[in-house]
Structure formats: structure tokens, C-alpha cells
Amino acid sequence: MLKDLFTKTKKKKYATIPSDRDQQDVPEGLMTKCSGCKKIMYTKELQKNNKVCIHCGYHHQMTAYERIESLFEAGSFTELDRNMLSVNPLGFPDYLEKIEKDKRKANMNEAVVTGTGKIEGYEVAVAIMDSHFRMGSMGSVVGEKITRAIEKAGELHIPFIIFTASGGARMQEGILSLMQMAKTSAALKMFSEDGGLIVSIMTHPTTGGVSASFASLGDINLAEPGALIGFAGRRIIEQTIHEELPEDFQTSEFLMKHGQLDAVISRTELKEKLVNILKIHVPGGEWV
Amino acid sequence: MIGDLEFERPVTDLRKKIDELKELTETADVDLTAEIQKLEKRLESLQDDIYKNMKPWDRVQVARHPGRPTTLDYIPQIFSDFLELHGDRYYGDDEAIVAGIATFEGIPVTVIGHQRGKDTKENIRRNFGMPHPEGYRKALRLMKQAEKFHRPVICFIDTKGAFPGKAAEERGQSEAIAKNIFEMAGLKVPIICIVIGEGGSGGALALGVGDRILMLENSTYSVISPEGAAALLWKDASQAKRAAETMKITAPDLFGLGIVDEIIPEAKGGAHKNDLKDQATAIKDSLKRSLNELLPLSTVEIVDQRYMKYKKIGQYEIEEERNLDQIKSR
């Protein structure tokens, strides 16, 4: 428009003062500002503490590979099905372009990493979701990879551990995504019937179809502090019941209060607690 | 006709015109028989044209039609000796799901289905067919009972979805749905699921894991409602029509994707236009066919085949390792 031509050439005649937020910003890399308490700390220090704020205990999101590094004995992790890739079954506009973009951004092929490895000597199969890739949403690949990891755990008679982080079923694959809830749950059922141990650790966020399938199906269901966990979205609920929801609604602590979780465990203690669980589930125990 | 939908307006208009002419022939002194015959022929071809080429959005409207038969309409037509059983034994009785025992062609069965209302009063009682956790837990309790007595389970699916409410979340909506899916996958009796209206997301799937998935011709089944999809994808709920087309949610679409085993035909324009008995007979025939195939199977065969049915669902490709290294080096 004609008006735009003029505004563009206009020079700023005033000095700009950096906002409080900008002033607090620090060069990326060396330092990190906590998303919880806004305090600044060395990135290295934060990483060493498993991305849990050393001041307030806020749990920053971890990538799947960071999680693997923090849990497994060095060199013990073998990834499964890394080469399984999404297609566009519904011919959904722009779907594969979005996948490509996330592949580069998150430097991974899909929203879940699966494999086997050792945690303090205990061999386990694991599926770790990563919300940096398409919000961790579950389409055919995520469902199939998790199913295969469960089947692998069954074959090897080892426990299955899942870290969930997902916005739910992936819309772009429509009904196929919904059916992944059934596929993964069916695999867990078979595994469970054979006496397999399932541990679910819900991390931020675990919602929708993921919350309503494998995330809730652990023999032991754990959650990280402050994670958003729930079935329906907060906004949809507010619109439906015309009621303001409590601030802690659908957090780990809220679920804990309502008897929906076995425990809320800080990431800094998670490995220790997992090892504890694994130890107790060694068939017949460890006679000393 | 009352309750006619937007897409069938041309049919409605033409029918009205024919009725007018008929009345005129009777009352006035003109003979329009030839004209009426011509128009009736046109009506027929117009109906064929409109009802055989229904767009996804048209089917969404039909699936949601207030006059569309519900679970409780079908039960007395299809089953005998139905006795409704109530409650989850933990919290309450959710009337958005009805369940009970009955016989089908002489065989004892357990019947479970979403139940919506046909008017406001009944809809409030039935919570618009949107269950709370106790509804799913009632369903599960009766499925386990069916397993104990070796009765096949028949599920009718007709819900917009699980109820999005505060109480539902507090009582573990996610866990209730997950547990149903989990237990249905391993249930040691045949399960047949019939989508009779809307199949909305996890709330539908919680009654929807079976050996056969049948679908009425104009019902829908989707991961999210067209409105919800439009709001999320294009930040505009009014694009629901476009979303309905993109999401592949109709019976023919789902049959094509291999999710649905059989499409049960409806009358032109939808089940609400059919005689209830005729529609029930069509469902009955389908049900009989499925049970004939499933009843001879052993418990192990049933569960294994069900597992393979779901294991197959999904599309992906396996990339060769050398391409992967390229991705890694990027």
C-alpha cells in the first residue's frame, strides 16, 4: 500500500532503551537463563545437573540423546530403527516439508529414539520421546518404533522403560495416528502378560493420545516435577465447563494429589530411583 | 422434510414443488400428471447424484443428525433379552455409556455403546454422549465379565470424544482410556466394534479395539474433530469443511486405508431416513457375518489375529544407511 512506502523511509528520532528482558538476555551458549526463576547460570553447570536449575529446581526440557547420555553406561546403548522415516499417507499439505525441517532442527529422524542399553548393569529396552520434533507427536513411525522396542524387550526378557514427551497423536496422519495408541498398547499388553516390567516416566508435556495410551500403562508410573500431563487441553476444558481451572491443573503434582501417579521424582534422583526399581524386579531377586 | 441438511436442499426444494403440483392437480381443474412424472424422474436422478456423491462434510452432518438412530435405538432391534447393567463399582454410573447383557441369534453377548441424547433434556442426562472415566471403567468391568463367561463383546461407537472436563481429568480420563485399549487388546473373546455415528478420537477408541471394525456408511471416525483440526492447523475453526476433506474421516476413506473391515449401507441420505428395522437388519447381517468368522477361532487365535490387525496399521519407509549418514553430517 502507498502508506507503507512512507513509513518505511521514516527514520527513528528517538533513542531506544533495552527492555528489562533484553537486558537480562545473555549470549547464547556460555550462560543460560532459567525459564523458572530467570536466574543466570553457566550452561555447563546446568548440563551437569541434567538441565535442572541449580537455584529453583526447574526442569528444562531434555533432548532424547541427552537423556540417553545421562542414563546409560557409556557405549552400552544400541539404537533401534533409526532409519525408519515418515511418509505422507493422507497426502496432507506441507507435511513432509515440516518433517524435513524438524529433522534438521532437532537433528533426529523422528520424535522418538528407541534402543537397548545398560543402566548401572541392568539391561533395558527404552523409548525416549523428544518434543523438539513435531511436539513429540505420534504418527506411524513413532507408534511402530515404540511397538518394536516393546517387542524387543519381550524377546530379550528385559524391562521396558518409556520417557514420554508429546502433544498427542499426530494430526497429519489422521486415523493412522489414533490407531498407534492401539498398536502400542496391544504390544504392552502382550509384554505385560509375559511378566514384563513397564516403567513410564512422564515428562513435560505428556498430553492427548500419548497420555491416554502407553504413558499411563506402566506398572509404575512416574513423572518429572512440574510437567504438564493430561488428556484434554486446558483451553478446551475451560471453554466446555465455563470455569477457571486451578493454576496447578494437569501438572505432575496435581496428578499426584489425585492418585494418578506412583511418584513425582526429580531428574537429579531419577537414575538412582530407576536402578532401585530395576533391582526389585530382577526375577527372583538377587540373593546375597 | 424437517431436519433436512444444507447439501440436500435441491432435493428438498424439488420435492416440495412436486407436492405443490400434486395438490394443485387434486384441487384445481388442471391435469399436471405429465409434468409431475417428469419432475419425479428428475428428483430420482437428482437424489442419485447428491446422495451418491456425498462430500466428507455432508457425511459429517449426517453422522451428527439429531434424528440419527443411537445405541439404545438399535439394541432392541438387534438383540433379545437385553438387560442393562450399571456402574463402575468405584465412583458412579456414567449414562454416556450404556452396557448390558443380551442374546444375539441365540448366543449370549455383552453389548456396550456410547449413548447420546436426541433432545436437550436427554443430552444433559447423557452428557452429549461424552463419557467420564467411570463410563470407560464400567465398560471395562463388563468386558472382563464377558471374558469370564466367554461371551463375545459388541461395541457401538457414537461419541464426539471423551468429555473434556476438570472432574474427568481428576479421575484419570487418560488412564481410563489407556486401560480400556490395553485390556481390549488382550481380551480372550471376540470383539466387534460398529461405528454408528461419530467416532471421536481416544474417547471412541476406548470402545474401539476389536477383531472387526464395522462402520455405517455415513459415520465418521477421526483422531480429532474437523473443527478441532481446523483450529489447530489453520487457527480457524470455520475451516472445518476443509479439514473434513483433508483428514480422511469417512467410512469409504477408512475402508481404503484398511482400518475398517466392512461398510454397512444406509438409506439414501442417511440412517435417520431409513426405517429403523431396515437399518438394524443391515447391521445384524454384518454382525452375523463377522461372528461366523470369529466364533470358530480359539482364544489364542483371536488374540493373535487382533494383535496382527493393529500391528499392521501405519505407513513408513526404511531408509538405507548411507542416506542416513548424509542426514547425520548435515
Side-chain angles (χ1 to χ4, degrees), chain B residues 77-115:
Chain B
Q77 301 287 331
I78 297 174
F79 305 96
S80 312
D81 316 309
F82 178 70
L83 175 68
E84 191 177 349
L85 303 174
H86 295 271
D88 69 342
R89 300 293 187 273
Y90 300 117
Y91 181 81
D93 184 38
D94 187 347
E95 296 196 83
I97 288 182
V98 293
I101 46 177
T103 54
F104 177 74
E105 307 285 281
I107 304 170
V109 293
T110 289
V111 189
I112 301 169
H114 298 104
Q115 183 63 40

Short mmCIF file of all heavy atoms in Angstrom, two decimals, chain B residues 77-115:
data_model
loop_
_atom_site.label_atom_id
_atom_site.label_comp_id
_atom_site.label_asym_id
_atom_site.label_seq_id
_atom_site.Cartn_x
_atom_site.Cartn_y
_atom_site.Cartn_z
N GLN B 77 -33.70 -53.78 18.53
CA GLN B 77 -33.94 -54.28 17.17
C GLN B 77 -33.00 -55.44 16.83
O GLN B 77 -33.34 -56.31 16.05
CB GLN B 77 -33.70 -53.16 16.14
CG GLN B 77 -34.56 -51.94 16.33
CD GLN B 77 -35.99 -52.19 15.92
OE1 GLN B 77 -36.27 -53.01 15.07
NE2 GLN B 77 -36.92 -51.48 16.55
N ILE B 78 -31.79 -55.40 17.39
CA ILE B 78 -30.76 -56.37 17.00
C ILE B 78 -30.65 -57.53 17.99
O ILE B 78 -30.40 -58.65 17.60
CB ILE B 78 -29.40 -55.64 16.86
CG1 ILE B 78 -29.48 -54.60 15.74
CG2 ILE B 78 -28.27 -56.63 16.59
CD1 ILE B 78 -28.26 -53.72 15.60
N PHE B 79 -30.86 -57.23 19.29
CA PHE B 79 -30.64 -58.24 20.33
C PHE B 79 -31.95 -58.60 21.02
O PHE B 79 -32.93 -57.86 20.96
CB PHE B 79 -29.65 -57.71 21.37
CG PHE B 79 -28.35 -57.26 20.77
CD1 PHE B 79 -28.12 -55.93 20.44
CD2 PHE B 79 -27.34 -58.19 20.51
CE1 PHE B 79 -26.93 -55.52 19.87
CE2 PHE B 79 -26.13 -57.78 19.95
CZ PHE B 79 -25.92 -56.44 19.63
N SER B 80 -31.95 -59.75 21.69
CA SER B 80 -33.08 -60.12 22.56
C SER B 80 -32.59 -60.18 24.00
O SER B 80 -31.38 -60.27 24.25
CB SER B 80 -33.62 -61.51 22.19
OG SER B 80 -33.80 -61.58 20.79
N ASP B 81 -33.52 -60.17 24.92
CA ASP B 81 -33.24 -60.36 26.35
C ASP B 81 -32.26 -59.32 26.91
O ASP B 81 -31.51 -59.62 27.84
CB ASP B 81 -32.65 -61.76 26.65
CG ASP B 81 -33.37 -62.86 25.90
OD1 ASP B 81 -34.61 -62.89 26.00
OD2 ASP B 81 -32.71 -63.68 25.24
N PHE B 82 -32.23 -58.12 26.36
CA PHE B 82 -31.24 -57.15 26.85
C PHE B 82 -31.54 -56.72 28.28
O PHE B 82 -32.67 -56.41 28.64
CB PHE B 82 -31.24 -55.90 25.94
CG PHE B 82 -30.27 -54.83 26.42
CD1 PHE B 82 -28.90 -55.03 26.34
CD2 PHE B 82 -30.74 -53.63 26.95
CE1 PHE B 82 -28.00 -54.06 26.77
CE2 PHE B 82 -29.86 -52.65 27.39
CZ PHE B 82 -28.48 -52.86 27.30
N LEU B 83 -30.50 -56.77 29.10
CA LEU B 83 -30.62 -56.29 30.48
C LEU B 83 -29.49 -55.29 30.71
O LEU B 83 -28.32 -55.64 30.62
CB LEU B 83 -30.50 -57.45 31.47
CG LEU B 83 -30.48 -57.06 32.95
CD1 LEU B 83 -31.83 -56.50 33.39
CD2 LEU B 83 -30.09 -58.25 33.81
N GLU B 84 -29.86 -54.04 30.99
CA GLU B 84 -28.81 -53.04 31.19
C GLU B 84 -28.18 -53.22 32.56
O GLU B 84 -28.86 -53.46 33.55
CB GLU B 84 -29.37 -51.61 31.04
CG GLU B 84 -28.25 -50.59 30.99
CD GLU B 84 -28.70 -49.15 30.78
OE1 GLU B 84 -29.87 -48.91 30.46
OE2 GLU B 84 -27.83 -48.26 30.97
N LEU B 85 -26.86 -53.10 32.60
CA LEU B 85 -26.11 -53.20 33.86
C LEU B 85 -25.40 -51.87 34.09
O LEU B 85 -24.90 -51.26 33.15
CB LEU B 85 -25.11 -54.36 33.79
CG LEU B 85 -25.73 -55.73 33.48
CD1 LEU B 85 -24.65 -56.78 33.28
CD2 LEU B 85 -26.69 -56.17 34.57
N HIS B 86 -25.35 -51.46 35.33
CA HIS B 86 -24.90 -50.09 35.63
C HIS B 86 -23.64 -50.04 36.50
O HIS B 86 -23.38 -50.94 37.29
CB HIS B 86 -26.01 -49.31 36.33
CG HIS B 86 -27.22 -49.09 35.49
ND1 HIS B 86 -27.37 -48.01 34.66
CD2 HIS B 86 -28.33 -49.85 35.31
CE1 HIS B 86 -28.54 -48.09 34.04
NE2 HIS B 86 -29.14 -49.20 34.41
N GLY B 87 -22.94 -48.93 36.39
CA GLY B 87 -21.93 -48.56 37.38
C GLY B 87 -20.55 -49.18 37.18
O GLY B 87 -20.40 -50.26 36.63
N ASP B 88 -19.55 -48.42 37.65
CA ASP B 88 -18.17 -48.91 37.51
C ASP B 88 -17.65 -49.55 38.79
O ASP B 88 -16.56 -50.07 38.83
CB ASP B 88 -17.24 -47.77 37.05
CG ASP B 88 -17.02 -46.71 38.12
OD1 ASP B 88 -17.82 -46.64 39.08
OD2 ASP B 88 -16.05 -45.94 38.01
N ARG B 89 -18.46 -49.47 39.87
CA ARG B 89 -18.09 -50.03 41.18
C ARG B 89 -17.01 -49.22 41.90
O ARG B 89 -16.50 -49.66 42.91
CB ARG B 89 -17.62 -51.49 41.08
CG ARG B 89 -18.65 -52.42 40.52
CD ARG B 89 -19.84 -52.58 41.45
NE ARG B 89 -20.75 -53.61 40.96
CZ ARG B 89 -21.72 -53.39 40.09
NH1 ARG B 89 -21.94 -52.17 39.64
NH2 ARG B 89 -22.50 -54.36 39.68
N TYR B 90 -16.61 -48.09 41.34
CA TYR B 90 -15.63 -47.24 42.01
C TYR B 90 -16.21 -45.88 42.35
O TYR B 90 -16.00 -45.33 43.39
CB TYR B 90 -14.40 -46.99 41.11
CG TYR B 90 -13.64 -48.22 40.71
CD1 TYR B 90 -13.55 -48.58 39.38
CD2 TYR B 90 -12.99 -49.01 41.66
CE1 TYR B 90 -12.84 -49.70 38.99
CE2 TYR B 90 -12.29 -50.13 41.28
CZ TYR B 90 -12.22 -50.48 39.94
OH TYR B 90 -11.52 -51.59 39.55
N TYR B 91 -16.92 -45.32 41.38
CA TYR B 91 -17.32 -43.93 41.53
C TYR B 91 -18.80 -43.69 41.22
O TYR B 91 -19.49 -43.08 42.00
CB TYR B 91 -16.45 -43.04 40.65
CG TYR B 91 -16.80 -41.58 40.78
CD1 TYR B 91 -16.31 -40.84 41.85
CD2 TYR B 91 -17.66 -40.97 39.88
CE1 TYR B 91 -16.66 -39.51 41.99
CE2 TYR B 91 -18.02 -39.64 40.03
CZ TYR B 91 -17.51 -38.92 41.08
OH TYR B 91 -17.86 -37.62 41.24
N GLY B 92 -19.24 -44.13 40.04
CA GLY B 92 -20.62 -43.82 39.69
C GLY B 92 -21.09 -44.54 38.44
O GLY B 92 -20.41 -45.44 37.94
N ASP B 93 -22.25 -44.13 37.96
CA ASP B 93 -22.77 -44.71 36.72
C ASP B 93 -22.84 -43.61 35.67
O ASP B 93 -23.57 -42.64 35.82
CB ASP B 93 -24.15 -45.32 36.93
CG ASP B 93 -24.65 -46.01 35.67
OD1 ASP B 93 -23.80 -46.64 34.98
OD2 ASP B 93 -25.84 -45.94 35.36
N ASP B 94 -22.04 -43.75 34.64
CA ASP B 94 -21.97 -42.75 33.57
C ASP B 94 -22.98 -43.13 32.49
O ASP B 94 -22.84 -44.15 31.83
CB ASP B 94 -20.55 -42.74 33.00
CG ASP B 94 -20.35 -41.63 32.00
OD1 ASP B 94 -21.35 -41.01 31.56
OD2 ASP B 94 -19.19 -41.36 31.65
N GLU B 95 -24.00 -42.28 32.33
CA GLU B 95 -25.05 -42.62 31.36
C GLU B 95 -24.68 -42.27 29.92
O GLU B 95 -25.47 -42.47 29.01
CB GLU B 95 -26.36 -41.96 31.77
CG GLU B 95 -26.86 -42.49 33.11
CD GLU B 95 -28.32 -42.17 33.35
OE1 GLU B 95 -29.17 -42.92 32.84
OE2 GLU B 95 -28.60 -41.15 34.01
N ALA B 96 -23.47 -41.76 29.73
CA ALA B 96 -22.98 -41.54 28.36
C ALA B 96 -22.54 -42.85 27.73
O ALA B 96 -22.26 -42.91 26.53
CB ALA B 96 -21.82 -40.54 28.36
N ILE B 97 -22.45 -43.88 28.55
CA ILE B 97 -22.19 -45.23 28.03
C ILE B 97 -23.26 -46.16 28.59
O ILE B 97 -23.51 -46.15 29.80
CB ILE B 97 -20.78 -45.73 28.40
CG1 ILE B 97 -19.73 -44.97 27.59
CG2 ILE B 97 -20.65 -47.23 28.16
CD1 ILE B 97 -18.29 -45.40 27.83
N VAL B 98 -23.91 -46.92 27.70
CA VAL B 98 -24.85 -47.94 28.17
C VAL B 98 -24.23 -49.30 27.92
O VAL B 98 -23.47 -49.48 26.97
CB VAL B 98 -26.23 -47.86 27.47
CG1 VAL B 98 -26.94 -46.58 27.84
CG2 VAL B 98 -26.09 -48.00 25.97
N ALA B 99 -24.54 -50.23 28.79
CA ALA B 99 -23.95 -51.56 28.65
C ALA B 99 -24.86 -52.59 29.27
O ALA B 99 -25.66 -52.26 30.16
CB ALA B 99 -22.59 -51.59 29.34
N GLY B 100 -24.74 -53.81 28.81
CA GLY B 100 -25.56 -54.86 29.39
C GLY B 100 -25.34 -56.20 28.73
O GLY B 100 -24.44 -56.35 27.89
N ILE B 101 -26.18 -57.16 29.14
CA ILE B 101 -26.09 -58.50 28.57
C ILE B 101 -27.33 -58.76 27.73
O ILE B 101 -28.39 -58.19 27.99
CB ILE B 101 -25.93 -59.57 29.67
CG1 ILE B 101 -26.93 -59.34 30.81
CG2 ILE B 101 -24.51 -59.54 30.23
CD1 ILE B 101 -26.90 -60.38 31.91
N ALA B 102 -27.18 -59.62 26.73
CA ALA B 102 -28.29 -59.90 25.83
C ALA B 102 -27.99 -61.18 25.06
O ALA B 102 -26.94 -61.81 25.26
CB ALA B 102 -28.46 -58.75 24.85
N THR B 103 -28.92 -61.56 24.19
CA THR B 103 -28.60 -62.65 23.26
C THR B 103 -28.68 -62.11 21.84
O THR B 103 -29.47 -61.22 21.54
CB THR B 103 -29.56 -63.85 23.40
OG1 THR B 103 -30.90 -63.37 23.26
CG2 THR B 103 -29.39 -64.53 24.73
N PHE B 104 -27.82 -62.66 20.99
CA PHE B 104 -27.84 -62.32 19.57
C PHE B 104 -28.00 -63.62 18.81
O PHE B 104 -27.12 -64.49 18.87
CB PHE B 104 -26.53 -61.61 19.17
CG PHE B 104 -26.45 -61.30 17.70
CD1 PHE B 104 -27.21 -60.28 17.15
CD2 PHE B 104 -25.62 -62.04 16.86
CE1 PHE B 104 -27.14 -60.00 15.78
CE2 PHE B 104 -25.55 -61.76 15.50
CZ PHE B 104 -26.31 -60.74 14.96
N GLU B 105 -29.11 -63.79 18.15
CA GLU B 105 -29.40 -65.02 17.41
C GLU B 105 -29.16 -66.25 18.30
O GLU B 105 -28.55 -67.23 17.88
CB GLU B 105 -28.51 -65.11 16.16
CG GLU B 105 -28.57 -63.89 15.26
CD GLU B 105 -29.85 -63.82 14.43
OE1 GLU B 105 -29.97 -64.51 13.43
OE2 GLU B 105 -30.73 -63.03 14.84
N GLY B 106 -29.56 -66.12 19.55
CA GLY B 106 -29.45 -67.25 20.47
C GLY B 106 -28.15 -67.32 21.24
O GLY B 106 -28.03 -68.09 22.19
N ILE B 107 -27.15 -66.53 20.84
CA ILE B 107 -25.85 -66.57 21.54
C ILE B 107 -25.79 -65.46 22.59
O ILE B 107 -26.09 -64.31 22.28
CB ILE B 107 -24.70 -66.34 20.54
CG1 ILE B 107 -24.76 -67.36 19.41
CG2 ILE B 107 -23.35 -66.39 21.24
CD1 ILE B 107 -23.81 -67.02 18.29
N PRO B 108 -25.35 -65.79 23.82
CA PRO B 108 -25.18 -64.73 24.82
C PRO B 108 -24.06 -63.77 24.40
O PRO B 108 -23.00 -64.21 23.94
CB PRO B 108 -24.77 -65.48 26.08
CG PRO B 108 -25.13 -66.90 25.84
CD PRO B 108 -25.03 -67.12 24.36
N VAL B 109 -24.30 -62.48 24.56
CA VAL B 109 -23.29 -61.46 24.22
C VAL B 109 -23.33 -60.35 25.27
O VAL B 109 -24.27 -60.24 26.04
CB VAL B 109 -23.54 -60.81 22.83
CG1 VAL B 109 -23.35 -61.81 21.70
CG2 VAL B 109 -24.92 -60.17 22.77
N THR B 110 -22.27 -59.56 25.28
CA THR B 110 -22.26 -58.33 26.08
C THR B 110 -22.29 -57.16 25.10
O THR B 110 -21.54 -57.16 24.12
CB THR B 110 -21.01 -58.28 26.98
OG1 THR B 110 -21.16 -59.25 28.02
CG2 THR B 110 -20.86 -56.91 27.62
N VAL B 111 -23.18 -56.23 25.34
CA VAL B 111 -23.33 -55.09 24.44
C VAL B 111 -22.95 -53.81 25.18
O VAL B 111 -23.40 -53.58 26.30
CB VAL B 111 -24.79 -54.95 23.94
CG1 VAL B 111 -24.88 -53.91 22.84
CG2 VAL B 111 -25.33 -56.28 23.46
N ILE B 112 -22.11 -52.99 24.54
CA ILE B 112 -21.67 -51.74 25.17
C ILE B 112 -21.72 -50.65 24.10
O ILE B 112 -21.36 -50.90 22.95
CB ILE B 112 -20.21 -51.87 25.68
CG1 ILE B 112 -20.12 -53.02 26.71
CG2 ILE B 112 -19.74 -50.56 26.31
CD1 ILE B 112 -18.70 -53.40 27.07
N GLY B 113 -22.17 -49.46 24.46
CA GLY B 113 -22.14 -48.41 23.45
C GLY B 113 -22.21 -47.01 24.04
O GLY B 113 -22.72 -46.81 25.15
N HIS B 114 -21.67 -46.05 23.30
CA HIS B 114 -21.86 -44.66 23.69
C HIS B 114 -23.33 -44.32 23.50
O HIS B 114 -23.96 -44.82 22.56
CB HIS B 114 -21.05 -43.72 22.78
CG HIS B 114 -19.57 -43.94 22.86
ND1 HIS B 114 -18.87 -44.60 21.88
CD2 HIS B 114 -18.66 -43.57 23.77
CE1 HIS B 114 -17.59 -44.62 22.20
NE2 HIS B 114 -17.43 -44.02 23.35
N GLN B 115 -23.86 -43.49 24.35
CA GLN B 115 -25.26 -43.09 24.21
C GLN B 115 -25.40 -41.58 24.29
O GLN B 115 -25.14 -40.98 25.31
CB GLN B 115 -26.10 -43.77 25.31
CG GLN B 115 -27.58 -43.47 25.20
CD GLN B 115 -28.19 -44.01 23.91
OE1 GLN B 115 -27.87 -45.12 23.47
NE2 GLN B 115 -29.04 -43.22 23.28
#
